Amino acid sequence: MASLSFKYYRKNVCLALQQHIPETILKNTDFWTYAQGEAIFPLLWSQLEQNQKDIVQPLLINPMNERVFMADFLRMKNATARILRAFNENNIPIICMRGLAVSETLYPQPYLRPHTDIDILFDQKHLLMAKQIVGNQLHYRPLPAYPMLFKQGDIPLDLHIEAIGSERIKAWQHITPLQAKDFFKYAEEGKLAGEKALLVRPRVMLPYLCFHALKHSFERLIWIYDIALLAKQVEQNQQWSEVLEGIAEYKLERPCYYALSYAKEHLQAPVPDYVLQQIKPGMGFIETKLFKRFMNHELIPYLAERLFSRMLPSFSHRIEFWRETIYPREEVRAQVAGGGCVKCNFIRTRIKQISKALWSFTKEVFLVVRA
């Protein structure tokens, strides 16, 4: 996988999601390794005709079929059901931020959308009780250096009192006014994993999913595919005016423009042109180049940080954002260090990251000058 070309494989995955996969790609084991890393493997596998699966199976260590995906889905579904049931019994409203909230509401078969952790959002006033439920009733254990992350077996449970993670990077609260209260304000009663649950309307859910995908620099295609399916649902229900209101209120035009443009161009998402025109942000020369590279399937180093800095309201906010990003508070430094000597490991990690960033930016400057 060292020689794997991100751009090449992402482009071919997008094509494969729209039509039959060429035999040359079918026989490429790196392609399937990439698809599995992007969590897009079940979707691709489900689209293959039987004769195509016969070509692929000998190349894989373990032949795949729908029962494998279903087993993994049922494991996560049962874990989510236990959590929802426990919080419902204690009268604490919670929202599943992704996971089953995406797979059961957007996908034709929920097992086609794998997920490996559970994220729940609740009001801060319930924090103490929530931790007691998670630890004493559900028997999830807390992880060192992560006060809101718990684990049972290999299933992580991430507790959230902020919608965008501003408890980790405080400067993020100046990027968007989106808060936990907005999720509950625009939620409707429904069911997930067979249990009573709150389902968030697209007015909030679509801008949030776009923000989340950008927060991770659009590293995984499955996040954009979620957005493409939600856009299809919004189009069918004629909810674009409501979604545009949410995008404007939460000031998330930039991440929504990037994600929806890509979903429309490469994943056949039915996004109207007027929607993209209305949310298109002002772009300078450099960002125009970044956007073209993104649309050309490139994985751009530190795209999230570069776009977030453009979304901040003032120069002083940008300075604070970069300071906190490079040298965050002690709790986050411990998480970046990953154990051992926090000071030594954090500094070593940051030096590697800064060196990589400088090299990447040097190459970009060269490409821009040459262009």
Coordinates of all heavy atoms in Angstrom, one line a residue, residues 235-319:
E235 N -33.7 16.4 -1.8 CA -34.3 16.7 -3.1 C -35.7 16.0 -3.2 O -36.7 16.7 -3.6 CB -33.4 16.2 -4.2 CG -33.9 16.4 -5.6 CD -34.0 17.8 -6.1 OE1 -33.5 18.7 -5.4 OE2 -34.7 18.0 -7.1
Q236 N -35.8 14.8 -2.8 CA -37.1 14.1 -2.9 C -38.2 14.7 -2.0 O -39.3 14.8 -2.4 CB -36.9 12.6 -2.5 CG -36.1 11.8 -3.4 CD -35.8 10.4 -2.9 OE1 -35.8 10.1 -1.7 NE2 -35.4 9.5 -3.8
N237 N -37.8 15.2 -0.8 CA -38.7 15.8 0.1 C -38.9 17.4 -0.1 O -39.6 18.0 0.7 CB -38.3 15.5 1.5 CG -38.4 14.0 1.8 OD1 -39.1 13.3 1.2 ND2 -37.6 13.6 2.8
Q238 N -38.2 17.9 -1.1 CA -38.2 19.3 -1.4 C -37.9 20.2 -0.2 O -38.7 21.1 0.2 CB -39.6 19.7 -2.0 CG -39.9 19.0 -3.3 CD -41.3 19.4 -3.9 OE1 -42.1 20.0 -3.2 NE2 -41.5 19.1 -5.1
Q239 N -36.7 19.9 0.4 CA -36.4 20.6 1.7 C -35.2 21.5 1.5 O -34.6 21.9 2.5 CB -36.0 19.5 2.7 CG -37.2 18.7 3.2 CD -36.8 17.5 4.1 OE1 -35.9 16.7 3.8 NE2 -37.4 17.5 5.3
W240 N -34.8 21.8 0.3 CA -33.6 22.7 0.1 C -33.7 24.0 0.7 O -32.7 24.6 1.2 CB -33.3 22.8 -1.4 CG -32.6 21.6 -2.0 CD1 -33.1 20.7 -2.9 CD2 -31.3 21.0 -1.6 NE1 -32.2 19.7 -3.1 CE2 -31.1 19.9 -2.3 CE3 -30.4 21.5 -0.7 CZ2 -30.0 19.1 -2.2 CZ3 -29.2 20.7 -0.6 CH2 -29.0 19.5 -1.3
S241 N -34.9 24.6 0.7 CA -35.1 26.0 1.3 C -34.8 25.9 2.8 O -34.1 26.8 3.4 CB -36.5 26.5 1.0 OG -37.5 25.7 1.6
E242 N -35.3 24.8 3.4 CA -35.0 24.6 4.9 C -33.5 24.4 5.1 O -32.9 25.0 6.1 CB -35.8 23.5 5.4 CG -35.6 23.1 6.8 CD -36.3 21.8 7.2 OE1 -37.2 21.4 6.5 OE2 -36.0 21.3 8.3
V243 N -32.9 23.6 4.3 CA -31.4 23.3 4.4 C -30.6 24.6 4.2 O -29.7 24.8 5.0 CB -31.0 22.2 3.5 CG1 -29.5 22.1 3.4 CG2 -31.6 20.9 3.9
L244 N -31.0 25.4 3.2 CA -30.2 26.6 3.0 C -30.3 27.6 4.1 O -29.4 28.3 4.5 CB -30.8 27.3 1.7 CG -30.3 26.6 0.4 CD1 -31.1 27.2 -0.8 CD2 -28.8 26.8 0.2
E245 N -31.5 27.6 4.8 CA -31.6 28.4 6.0 C -30.6 27.9 7.1 O -30.0 28.8 7.8 CB -33.1 28.3 6.5 CG -34.1 29.0 5.7 CD -35.5 28.8 6.3 OE1 -35.6 28.2 7.3 OE2 -36.5 29.3 5.6
G246 N -30.5 26.6 7.3 CA -29.6 26.1 8.3 C -28.1 26.4 7.9 O -27.4 26.8 8.8
I247 N -27.8 26.2 6.6 CA -26.4 26.5 6.2 C -26.0 28.0 6.5 O -25.0 28.3 7.0 CB -26.2 26.2 4.7 CG1 -26.4 24.7 4.5 CG2 -24.9 26.7 4.2 CD1 -26.4 24.3 3.0
A248 N -27.0 28.9 6.2 CA -26.7 30.3 6.4 C -26.7 30.6 7.9 O -25.8 31.4 8.4 CB -27.8 31.1 5.7
E249 N -27.6 30.1 8.7 CA -27.6 30.3 10.1 C -26.4 29.9 10.8 O -25.8 30.6 11.7 CB -28.8 29.7 10.8 CG -28.9 29.9 12.3 CD -30.1 29.3 12.9 OE1 -31.0 28.8 12.2 OE2 -30.2 29.2 14.2
Y250 N -25.8 28.7 10.4 CA -24.7 28.2 11.1 C -23.4 28.5 10.4 O -22.3 28.1 10.8 CB -24.8 26.6 11.2 CG -26.1 26.2 11.8 CD1 -27.0 25.3 11.1 CD2 -26.6 26.8 13.0 CE1 -28.2 25.0 11.7 CE2 -27.8 26.4 13.5 CZ -28.6 25.5 12.9 OH -29.8 25.2 13.4
K251 N -23.5 29.4 9.3 CA -22.3 29.9 8.7 C -21.3 28.8 8.2 O -20.1 28.9 8.3 CB -21.5 30.9 9.6 CG -22.4 32.1 10.1 CD -21.6 33.0 11.0 CE -22.5 34.1 11.5 NZ -21.8 35.0 12.4
L252 N -21.9 27.8 7.6 CA -21.2 26.6 7.1 C -21.2 26.5 5.6 O -21.2 25.4 5.0 CB -21.7 25.4 7.8 CG -21.4 25.2 9.3 CD1 -22.1 24.0 9.9 CD2 -19.9 25.2 9.5
E253 N -21.3 27.7 4.9 CA -21.3 27.7 3.5 C -20.1 27.0 2.8 O -20.2 26.2 1.9 CB -21.4 29.1 2.9 CG -22.8 29.8 3.2 CD -22.8 30.5 4.5 OE1 -21.9 30.3 5.3 OE2 -23.8 31.3 4.8
R254 N -18.9 27.3 3.4 CA -17.7 26.7 2.8 C -17.7 25.2 2.8 O -17.5 24.6 1.7 CB -16.5 27.4 3.4 CG -15.2 27.1 2.7 CD -14.0 27.9 3.2 NE -13.7 29.0 2.3 CZ -14.1 30.3 2.6 NH1 -14.7 30.6 3.7 NH2 -13.8 31.2 1.7
P255 N -17.8 24.6 4.0 CA -17.7 23.1 3.9 C -18.9 22.5 3.1 O -18.7 21.5 2.5 CB -17.8 22.7 5.4 CG -18.3 23.9 6.1 CD -17.8 25.1 5.3
C256 N -20.1 23.1 3.2 CA -21.2 22.6 2.4 C -20.9 22.7 0.9 O -21.3 21.8 0.1 CB -22.5 23.3 2.8 SG -23.1 22.9 4.4
Y257 N -20.3 23.8 0.5 CA -20.0 24.0 -0.9 C -19.0 23.0 -1.4 O -19.2 22.4 -2.5 CB -19.5 25.4 -1.2 CG -19.2 25.7 -2.7 CD1 -20.2 25.9 -3.6 CD2 -17.9 25.7 -3.1 CE1 -20.0 26.1 -4.9 CE2 -17.6 25.9 -4.5 CZ -18.7 26.1 -5.4 OH -18.4 26.3 -6.7
Y258 N -18.0 22.7 -0.7 CA -17.0 21.7 -1.0 C -17.7 20.3 -1.1 O -17.5 19.6 -2.1 CB -15.9 21.7 0.0 CG -14.8 22.7 -0.3 CD1 -15.0 24.1 -0.1 CD2 -13.5 22.3 -0.7 CE1 -14.0 25.0 -0.4 CE2 -12.5 23.2 -1.0 CZ -12.7 24.5 -0.8 OH -11.7 25.4 -1.0
A259 N -18.4 19.9 -0.1 CA -18.9 18.6 0.0 C -20.0 18.4 -1.0 O -20.0 17.3 -1.7 CB -19.5 18.3 1.4
L260 N -20.9 19.3 -1.2 CA -22.0 19.1 -2.1 C -21.5 19.2 -3.6 O -22.1 18.5 -4.4 CB -23.1 20.2 -1.9 CG -23.9 20.0 -0.6 CD1 -24.8 21.2 -0.3 CD2 -24.7 18.7 -0.6
S261 N -20.5 20.0 -3.8 CA -20.0 20.1 -5.2 C -19.4 18.8 -5.6 O -19.6 18.3 -6.7 CB -18.9 21.2 -5.3 OG -19.5 22.5 -5.1
Y262 N -18.6 18.2 -4.7 CA -18.0 16.9 -5.0 C -19.0 15.8 -5.1 O -19.0 15.0 -6.0 CB -17.0 16.5 -3.8 CG -16.1 15.3 -4.1 CD1 -14.8 15.5 -4.6 CD2 -16.6 14.0 -3.9 CE1 -14.0 14.4 -4.9 CE2 -15.8 12.9 -4.2 CZ -14.5 13.1 -4.7 OH -13.7 12.1 -5.0
A263 N -20.0 15.8 -4.2 CA -21.1 14.8 -4.3 C -21.9 14.9 -5.6 O -22.3 13.9 -6.1 CB -22.0 15.0 -3.1
K264 N -22.1 16.1 -6.0 CA -22.9 16.3 -7.3 C -22.0 15.8 -8.5 O -22.5 15.2 -9.4 CB -23.2 17.8 -7.4 CG -24.0 18.1 -8.7 CD -24.2 19.6 -8.8 CE -24.9 20.0 -10.1 NZ -26.3 19.5 -10.3
E265 N -20.8 16.2 -8.5 CA -19.9 15.9 -9.6 C -19.5 14.5 -9.8 O -19.5 13.9 -10.9 CB -18.6 16.8 -9.5 CG -17.6 16.6 -10.6 CD -18.0 17.2 -11.9 OE1 -18.9 18.1 -11.9 OE2 -17.5 16.8 -13.0
H266 N -19.2 13.8 -8.6 CA -18.7 12.5 -8.7 C -19.5 11.4 -8.1 O -19.3 10.2 -8.3 CB -17.3 12.5 -7.9 CG -16.3 13.4 -8.5 ND1 -15.8 13.3 -9.8 CD2 -15.7 14.5 -7.9 CE1 -15.0 14.3 -10.0 NE2 -14.9 15.1 -8.9
L267 N -20.6 11.7 -7.4 CA -21.5 10.7 -6.8 C -22.9 10.8 -7.2 O -23.8 10.2 -6.6 CB -21.3 10.8 -5.2 CG -19.9 10.5 -4.7 CD1 -19.9 10.7 -3.2 CD2 -19.4 9.1 -5.0
Q268 N -23.1 11.6 -8.2 CA -24.5 11.8 -8.8 C -25.5 12.3 -7.8 O -26.7 11.9 -7.9 CB -25.0 10.5 -9.4 CG -24.1 10.1 -10.6 CD -24.6 8.8 -11.3 OE1 -25.0 7.9 -10.6 NE2 -24.6 8.8 -12.6
A269 N -25.1 13.1 -6.8 CA -26.1 13.7 -5.9 C -26.9 14.7 -6.6 O -26.4 15.6 -7.3 CB -25.3 14.3 -4.7
P270 N -28.2 14.7 -6.4 CA -29.1 15.7 -7.1 C -29.1 17.0 -6.4 O -30.1 17.4 -5.8 CB -30.5 15.0 -7.0 CG -30.4 14.2 -5.7 CD -29.0 13.7 -5.6
V271 N -28.0 17.7 -6.5 CA -27.9 19.1 -5.8 C -28.2 20.1 -6.9 O -27.5 20.2 -7.9 CB -26.5 19.3 -5.2 CG1 -26.4 20.6 -4.5 CG2 -26.1 18.2 -4.3
P272 N -29.3 20.9 -6.7 CA -29.6 21.9 -7.7 C -28.5 23.0 -7.9 O -27.8 23.3 -6.9 CB -30.9 22.6 -7.2 CG -31.4 21.6 -6.2 CD -30.3 20.8 -5.6
D273 N -28.3 23.5 -9.1 CA -27.3 24.5 -9.3 C -27.5 25.7 -8.5 O -26.5 26.4 -8.0 CB -27.3 24.9 -10.8 CG -26.7 23.7 -11.7 OD1 -26.0 22.9 -11.2 OD2 -27.1 23.7 -12.9
Y274 N -28.7 26.1 -8.3 CA -29.0 27.3 -7.5 C -28.5 27.2 -6.0 O -28.2 28.2 -5.4 CB -30.5 27.7 -7.5 CG -31.4 26.9 -6.7 CD1 -31.6 27.3 -5.3 CD2 -32.1 25.8 -7.2 CE1 -32.5 26.5 -4.5 CE2 -32.9 25.1 -6.4 CZ -33.1 25.4 -5.1 OH -34.0 24.7 -4.2
V275 N -28.5 26.0 -5.5 CA -28.1 25.7 -4.1 C -26.6 26.0 -4.1 O -26.1 26.7 -3.2 CB -28.4 24.3 -3.7 CG1 -27.7 24.0 -2.4 CG2 -29.9 24.1 -3.5
L276 N -25.8 25.5 -5.0 CA -24.4 25.7 -5.0 C -24.0 27.2 -5.3 O -23.1 27.7 -4.7 CB -23.7 24.8 -6.1 CG -23.8 23.3 -5.8 CD1 -23.1 22.6 -7.0 CD2 -23.1 23.0 -4.5
Q277 N -24.8 27.8 -6.1 CA -24.5 29.3 -6.4 C -24.8 30.1 -5.2 O -24.1 31.1 -4.9 CB -25.4 29.7 -7.6 CG -25.1 29.1 -8.9 CD -26.1 29.4 -10.0 OE1 -27.1 30.1 -9.7 NE2 -25.9 28.9 -11.2
Q278 N -25.8 29.7 -4.4 CA -26.2 30.5 -3.2 C -25.2 30.4 -2.1 O -25.0 31.3 -1.3 CB -27.6 30.1 -2.7 CG -28.1 31.0 -1.6 CD -29.6 30.8 -1.4 OE1 -30.4 30.4 -2.3 NE2 -30.1 31.0 -0.2
I279 N -24.5 29.2 -2.0 CA -23.6 29.0 -0.8 C -22.2 29.1 -1.2 O -21.3 28.9 -0.4 CB -23.8 27.6 -0.2 CG1 -23.5 26.4 -1.2 CG2 -25.3 27.4 0.3 CD1 -23.6 25.0 -0.6
K280 N -21.9 29.4 -2.5 CA -20.5 29.5 -2.9 C -19.8 30.6 -2.2 O -20.2 31.7 -2.2 CB -20.4 29.7 -4.4 CG -19.0 29.7 -4.9 CD -18.9 29.8 -6.5 CE -17.5 29.8 -6.9 NZ -17.4 30.0 -8.4
P281 N -18.6 30.3 -1.5 CA -17.9 31.3 -0.8 C -17.0 32.1 -1.7 O -16.7 31.6 -2.8 CB -17.1 30.5 0.2 CG -16.8 29.2 -0.5 CD -18.0 28.9 -1.3
G282 N -16.6 33.3 -1.3 CA -15.6 34.0 -2.0 C -14.2 33.3 -2.0 O -13.8 33.0 -0.9
M283 N -13.6 33.1 -3.1 CA -12.4 32.3 -3.1 C -11.3 33.2 -3.8 O -11.5 33.8 -4.9 CB -12.5 31.0 -3.9 CG -13.4 30.0 -3.2 SD -13.3 28.4 -4.2 CE -14.5 27.4 -3.3
G284 N -10.1 33.3 -3.1 CA -9.0 33.9 -3.8 C -8.3 33.0 -4.7 O -8.8 31.9 -5.0
F285 N -7.2 33.4 -5.2 CA -6.4 32.6 -6.2 C -6.0 31.3 -5.6 O -6.1 30.2 -6.2 CB -5.2 33.4 -6.6 CG -4.3 32.7 -7.6 CD1 -4.6 32.5 -8.9 CD2 -3.1 32.1 -7.1 CE1 -3.8 31.8 -9.8 CE2 -2.3 31.4 -8.0 CZ -2.6 31.3 -9.3
I286 N -5.5 31.3 -4.3 CA -4.9 30.1 -3.7 C -6.1 29.1 -3.4 O -6.0 27.9 -3.7 CB -4.2 30.4 -2.4 CG1 -3.0 31.3 -2.7 CG2 -3.8 29.1 -1.7 CD1 -1.9 30.6 -3.5
E287 N -7.2 29.6 -2.9 CA -8.3 28.7 -2.6 C -8.9 28.1 -3.8 O -9.4 27.0 -3.8 CB -9.3 29.3 -1.7 CG -10.4 28.3 -1.2 CD -11.4 28.9 -0.3 OE1 -11.4 30.1 0.0 OE2 -12.3 28.1 0.2
T288 N -9.0 28.9 -4.9 CA -9.5 28.4 -6.1 C -8.7 27.2 -6.6 O -9.2 26.2 -7.1 CB -9.5 29.5 -7.2 OG1 -10.3 30.6 -6.8 CG2 -10.0 28.9 -8.5
K289 N -7.4 27.3 -6.4 CA -6.5 26.1 -6.8 C -6.8 24.9 -5.9 O -6.8 23.8 -6.3 CB -5.0 26.5 -6.7 CG -4.6 27.6 -7.7 CD -4.5 27.0 -9.1 CE -4.0 28.0 -10.1 NZ -3.9 27.5 -11.4
L290 N -6.9 25.2 -4.6 CA -7.2 24.1 -3.6 C -8.5 23.4 -4.0 O -8.6 22.2 -4.0 CB -7.3 24.7 -2.2 CG -6.0 25.2 -1.5 CD1 -6.4 25.8 -0.1 CD2 -5.1 24.0 -1.4
F291 N -9.5 24.2 -4.3 CA -10.8 23.6 -4.7 C -10.7 22.8 -5.9 O -11.3 21.7 -5.9 CB -11.9 24.7 -4.9 CG -13.2 24.2 -5.2 CD1 -14.0 23.6 -4.3 CD2 -13.7 24.3 -6.5 CE1 -15.3 23.1 -4.6 CE2 -15.0 23.9 -6.9 CZ -15.8 23.3 -5.9
K292 N -10.0 23.2 -6.9 CA -9.9 22.4 -8.1 C -9.1 21.1 -7.8 O -9.5 20.1 -8.4 CB -9.1 23.2 -9.2 CG -9.9 24.4 -9.8 CD -9.1 25.1 -10.9 CE -9.9 26.2 -11.5 NZ -9.2 27.0 -12.5
R293 N -8.1 21.2 -7.0 CA -7.4 19.9 -6.6 C -8.3 19.0 -5.8 O -8.3 17.8 -6.1 CB -6.2 20.3 -5.8 CG -5.1 21.0 -6.5 CD -4.0 21.5 -5.6 NE -3.4 20.4 -4.9 CZ -2.7 20.5 -3.7 NH1 -2.5 21.7 -3.2 NH2 -2.2 19.5 -3.1
F294 N -9.1 19.5 -4.9 CA -10.1 18.7 -4.2 C -11.1 18.0 -5.1 O -11.3 16.8 -5.0 CB -10.8 19.6 -3.2 CG -12.0 18.9 -2.6 CD1 -11.9 17.9 -1.7 CD2 -13.3 19.4 -2.9 CE1 -13.0 17.3 -1.1 CE2 -14.4 18.7 -2.4 CZ -14.3 17.7 -1.5
M295 N -11.6 18.8 -6.1 CA -12.5 18.2 -7.0 C -11.9 17.2 -8.0 O -12.6 16.4 -8.6 CB -13.2 19.4 -7.8 CG -14.1 20.3 -7.0 SD -15.6 19.4 -6.4 CE -16.5 19.1 -7.9
N296 N -10.6 17.3 -8.0 CA -9.8 16.3 -8.9 C -9.3 15.1 -8.0 O -8.4 14.5 -8.4 CB -8.6 17.0 -9.5 CG -8.1 16.3 -10.7 OD1 -8.8 15.6 -11.4 ND2 -6.8 16.4 -11.0
H297 N -10.0 14.9 -6.9 CA -9.8 13.7 -6.0 C -8.5 13.7 -5.2 O -8.1 12.7 -4.7 CB -9.8 12.4 -6.9 CG -11.0 12.3 -7.8 ND1 -12.2 12.0 -7.3 CD2 -11.1 12.4 -9.1 CE1 -13.1 11.9 -8.4 NE2 -12.4 12.2 -9.5
E298 N -7.8 14.9 -5.1 CA -6.6 14.9 -4.4 C -6.9 15.0 -2.9 O -7.9 15.6 -2.4 CB -5.7 16.1 -4.8 CG -5.1 16.0 -6.1 CD -4.0 17.1 -6.3 OE1 -3.3 17.4 -5.4 OE2 -4.0 17.7 -7.4
L299 N -6.0 14.3 -2.1 CA -6.0 14.5 -0.6 C -5.1 15.6 -0.3 O -3.9 15.4 -0.4 CB -5.6 13.2 0.1 CG -5.6 13.2 1.6 CD1 -7.0 13.5 2.2 CD2 -5.1 11.9 2.2
I300 N -5.6 16.8 0.1 CA -4.8 18.0 0.3 C -4.4 18.0 1.8 O -5.2 18.0 2.7 CB -5.6 19.2 -0.1 CG1 -6.1 19.1 -1.5 CG2 -4.8 20.5 0.1 CD1 -7.0 20.2 -2.0
P301 N -3.1 18.1 2.0 CA -2.6 18.2 3.4 C -3.2 19.4 4.2 O -3.2 20.5 3.6 CB -1.1 18.3 3.3 CG -0.8 17.8 1.9 CD -2.0 18.1 1.1
Y302 N -3.7 19.1 5.4 CA -4.2 20.2 6.3 C -5.3 21.0 5.6 O -5.3 22.2 5.9 CB -3.0 21.0 6.8 CG -1.9 20.2 7.4 CD1 -0.7 20.0 6.7 CD2 -2.0 19.7 8.6 CE1 0.3 19.2 7.2 CE2 -1.0 18.9 9.2 CZ 0.1 18.7 8.5 OH 1.1 17.9 9.0
L303 N -6.1 20.4 4.8 CA -7.2 21.2 4.2 C -8.1 21.8 5.2 O -8.6 22.9 5.1 CB -7.9 20.3 3.2 CG -9.1 21.0 2.4 CD1 -8.6 22.1 1.5 CD2 -9.9 19.9 1.6
A304 N -8.4 21.0 6.2 CA -9.4 21.4 7.3 C -8.9 22.7 7.9 O -9.6 23.7 8.0 CB -9.5 20.4 8.3
E305 N -7.6 22.7 8.3 CA -7.1 23.9 9.0 C -7.0 25.1 8.1 O -7.3 26.2 8.5 CB -5.7 23.6 9.6 CG -5.6 22.6 10.7 CD -5.7 21.2 10.3 OE1 -5.8 20.9 9.1 OE2 -5.8 20.3 11.2
R306 N -6.7 24.9 6.8 CA -6.6 26.0 5.9 C -7.9 26.6 5.6 O -8.1 27.8 5.4 CB -5.9 25.5 4.6 CG -4.5 25.0 4.9 CD -3.9 24.1 3.8 NE -3.5 24.8 2.7 CZ -2.8 24.3 1.7 NH1 -2.5 23.0 1.7 NH2 -2.4 25.0 0.7
L307 N -9.0 25.8 5.5 CA -10.3 26.3 5.2 C -10.9 26.9 6.5 O -11.6 27.9 6.5 CB -11.2 25.2 4.6 CG -10.8 24.7 3.3 CD1 -11.9 23.8 2.7 CD2 -10.5 25.8 2.3
F308 N -10.7 26.3 7.6 CA -11.2 26.8 8.9 C -10.7 28.2 9.2 O -11.4 29.1 9.6 CB -10.9 25.9 10.1 CG -11.8 24.7 10.2 CD1 -11.4 23.6 11.0 CD2 -13.0 24.6 9.5 CE1 -12.2 22.5 11.1 CE2 -13.8 23.5 9.6 CZ -13.4 22.4 10.4
S309 N -9.4 28.4 8.9 CA -8.8 29.7 9.1 C -9.5 30.8 8.3 O -9.6 32.0 8.7 CB -7.3 29.7 8.8 OG -7.1 29.5 7.5
R310 N -10.0 30.4 7.1 CA -10.7 31.3 6.2 C -12.1 31.6 6.7 O -12.7 32.6 6.3 CB -10.8 30.8 4.8 CG -9.4 30.8 4.1 CD -9.5 30.0 2.7 NE -8.4 30.3 1.9 CZ -7.2 29.8 2.0 NH1 -6.9 28.9 2.9 NH2 -6.2 30.1 1.1
M311 N -12.6 30.7 7.6 CA -14.0 30.9 8.0 C -14.1 31.7 9.3 O -15.2 32.0 9.8 CB -14.6 29.5 8.3 CG -14.8 28.7 7.0 SD -15.2 26.9 7.4 CE -16.7 27.1 8.2
L312 N -12.9 32.1 9.9 CA -12.9 32.8 11.1 C -13.2 34.3 10.9 O -12.8 34.8 9.8 CB -11.6 32.6 11.9 CG -11.5 31.2 12.5 CD1 -10.0 30.9 12.8 CD2 -12.3 31.1 13.7
P313 N -13.8 35.0 11.8 CA -14.3 36.4 11.5 C -13.2 37.4 11.5 O -13.5 38.5 10.9 CB -15.3 36.6 12.7 CG -14.9 35.7 13.8 CD -14.3 34.5 13.1
S314 N -12.1 37.2 12.1 CA -11.1 38.3 12.1 C -9.7 37.7 12.1 O -9.5 36.5 12.4 CB -11.3 39.2 13.4 OG -11.0 38.5 14.5
F315 N -8.7 38.6 11.9 CA -7.3 38.2 11.9 C -6.9 37.7 13.3 O -6.1 36.7 13.4 CB -6.4 39.4 11.5 CG -4.9 39.0 11.5 CD1 -4.4 38.3 10.5 CD2 -4.1 39.5 12.5 CE1 -3.0 37.9 10.5 CE2 -2.7 39.2 12.5 CZ -2.2 38.4 11.5
S316 N -7.3 38.3 14.4 CA -7.0 37.9 15.7 C -7.5 36.5 16.0 O -6.9 35.7 16.7 CB -7.5 38.9 16.8 OG -8.9 39.0 16.7
H317 N -8.7 36.2 15.5 CA -9.3 34.9 15.7 C -8.4 33.8 14.9 O -8.3 32.7 15.4 CB -10.7 34.8 15.2 CG -11.7 35.5 16.1 ND1 -12.3 36.7 15.8 CD2 -12.2 35.1 17.3 CE1 -13.1 37.0 16.8 NE2 -13.1 36.1 17.7
R318 N -7.9 34.2 13.8 CA -7.1 33.3 13.0 C -5.8 33.0 13.8 O -5.3 31.9 13.8 CB -6.8 33.9 11.6 CG -8.0 34.0 10.7 CD -7.6 34.4 9.3 NE -8.8 34.7 8.5 CZ -9.3 35.9 8.3 NH1 -8.6 37.0 8.8 NH2 -10.4 36.1 7.6
I319 N -5.2 34.0 14.3 CA -4.0 33.8 15.1 C -4.2 32.9 16.3 O -3.4 32.0 16.5 CB -3.4 35.2 15.6 CG1 -3.0 36.1 14.5 CG2 -2.3 35.0 16.6 CD1 -1.8 35.5 13.7

